[in-house]
Amino acid sequence: MTTTTAAPAGARARQTHYWRVRNGRTPEPPESAPQAWHIRSGHPGGAYSDLGQELDQPEHHAPTLLTRSRRTGRREEEEFRGGCLSCAWEGPVHRGDGYGDGDNQAVEDAHDHAFPGWRELLPVTAVEDRRALPLDRGRWAQLTSCYPPGWLDRGAPLVVASRHRREAHAAPHRGRPRYELRVARPPVTRGKRAADQETLF
């Protein structure tokens, strides 16, 4: 009979538990690690951690993405939920294959928790601005002037118009310190252009 340990709640604690299972430090078989909730690789807090909750805990709510595999019949199915690196909050479970299906909803839930009102931010619609905009201090300051106070210091997302349907949100990395959340392109109405960066500058 295999004994299973109760999985802790909260993204940081779940990440530690995942690595402890994977490294054989629990009664659970190491091959069962993908079935344990853990931070999706490439998302904030997704680094190796099995000696305790050694991930640096932010002083503010910080969104991340939790995932696990579940066997349904003969196939593996992925489940996703938003998480927070500074508290035990976790969002509802979404199912999908990733790449914008299931994972996007979970990342959005996490941003609703950390940055309520982010959906009202003006989206960047010019593709070339995604990388160039944060490097242009003047344009970046103009775009982010409508962000609530303190959001930029806490890693508020950059909202961009999707290039195609079901485009996955992009996690932060060294060259992009914040999530890039993809939203539906604003409709263009006669006599009024969509909210485009050119109208800002």
Side-chain angles (χ1 to χ4, degrees):
M1 181 173 170
T2 304
T3 307
T4 58
T5 56
R12 295 169 68 244
R14 287 191 187 277
Q15 183 70 359
T16 298
H17 176 74
Y18 164 76
W19 280 106
R20 290 181 58 79
V21 172
R22 190 164 168 181
N23 291 334
R25 296 180 186 231
T26 70
E28 299 170 71
E31 59 272 12
S32 73
Q35 284 88 47
W37 284 108
H38 58 281
I39 297 172
R40 179 112 168 160
S41 178
H43 287 262
Y48 175 83
S49 172
D50 80 336
L51 301 175
Q53 294 184 31
E54 59 206 20
L55 301 171
D56 292 333
Q57 183 169 343
E59 296 177 2
H60 50 77
H61 294 299
T64 193
L65 176 65
L66 295 166
T67 187
R68 72 174 174 182
S69 296
R70 304 296 282 173
R71 182 160 291 284
T72 56
R74 293 184 176 180
R75 58 183 287 246
E76 288 279 324
E77 181 180 69
E78 282 195 280
E79 293 183 335
F80 305 94
R81 69 189 327 169
C84 182
L85 294 174
S86 66
C87 70
W89 176 89
E90 294 178 349
V93 175
H94 301 278
R95 291 173 179 79
D97 62 8
Y99 310 104
D101 180 31
D103 54 340
N104 272 7
Q105 295 91 329
V107 167
E108 290 169 12
D109 292 341
H111 280 80
D112 287 339
H113 168 73
F115 301 103
W118 71 266
R119 295 170 193 271
E120 306 304 316
L121 297 175
L122 185 66
V124 175
T125 57
V127 173
E128 60 274 8
D129 277 342
R130 293 180 180 202
R131 289 188 182 90
L133 184 61
L135 302 176
D136 185 332
R137 291 183 184 199
R139 294 180 74 199
W140 179 248
Q142 196 166 3
L143 172 71
T144 58
S145 64
C146 59
Y147 281 46
W151 271 27
L152 284 179
D153 297 334
R154 293 175 21 217
L158 177 62
V159 179
V160 300
S162 296
R163 292 172 288 188
H164 51 80
R165 191 175 80 76
R166 217 179 86 175
E167 184 177 9
H169 298 317
H173 61 71
R174 189 170 27 176
R176 180 182 52 240
R178 59 194 74 247
Y179 270 95
E180 193 174 277
L181 302 181
R182 280 64 188 272
V183 297
R185 187 168 291 277
V188 177
T189 56
R190 183 177 297 183
K192 185 177 179 183
R193 295 178 59 192
D196 192 275
Q197 286 305 306
E198 285 85 12
T199 65
L200 285 176
F201 312 106

